[in-house]
Amino acid sequence: MHFSKKLYIIKLKIFKNIEPLQKYVADLKKQQKSIGFVPTMGSLHDGHISLLKESIIHNQVTICSIYVNPKQFNDHQDFICYPRQEKKDIILLNNVRCDVLFMPSDNQIYPRLEESSITYESTLVMSILEGEKRPGHFLGVLKIVYKLFYIINPDIAYFGEKDYQQLYIIREFVENQNINIQIQSCATIRETSGLALSSRNKNLTIEEKALALNIFKALSLFKEHIMH
Ligand code: PAF
């Protein structure tokens, strides 16, 4: 797709550095504006858009962040291959009328090479399922979520039910740390086939997509049996 030939009117405010964003947020707070926050790793799809729309309806200002957080990848190849589409994301965010995009560099988020790991004890839910298969993943998620919450200090933050374990762990973390931010969950958005939308779906072959869909099919069958 070529973006250079078309003239897009970009109203979205884009911040790459923490300091000007924090000044902007302080100003919003002075004006007592409610701030909704949608943290993402970019490569936005309709699942992200549904979170953004929810925030836009319920808040005076919506801030989205795009940052592919290296600390939550235990497999470097997975980090390298994670889909990235910066220009397209900016246009999507502008079209949905998101107000602000925070798109920091690694240097902004992790200014020191050596950084002590987050002093948060893993809970039981962090050690099972995805936590068991991807050691350190959830601590990496909490590390970035904590940093983003500290920088942006939103009233409400929006997370998808697709990553249900992540949602549970973030809720638990916010409660345990007495962080005064409401965590709002939003329903999973699916392709017509039933496959949950996910940025990583782009990396799947047709065969792998069909295999992935079996999870939804099996869970739906299971649900049907329980209900009847
Ligand atoms: O769900 C995601 O996209 C990421 O785990 C999050 C919450 C943005 C943290 O990097």
Side-chain angles (χ1 to χ4, degrees), residues 20-39:
L21 174 63
Q22 280 186 314
K23 280 194 186 136
Y24 180 79
V25 168
D27 203 42
L28 294 176
K29 297 265 173 194
K30 256 190 228 152
Q31 298 172 53
Q32 300 197 321
K33 295 223 166 135
S34 59
I35 302 174
F37 175 45
V38 181

Side-chain angles (χ1 to χ4, degrees), residues 45-55 158 186-189:
H45 51 68
D46 281 352
H48 297 113
I49 301 297
S50 77
L51 302 179
L52 288 157
K53 283 188 175 160
E54 199 59 22
S55 172
Y158 295 80
C186 295
T188 304
I189 306 293

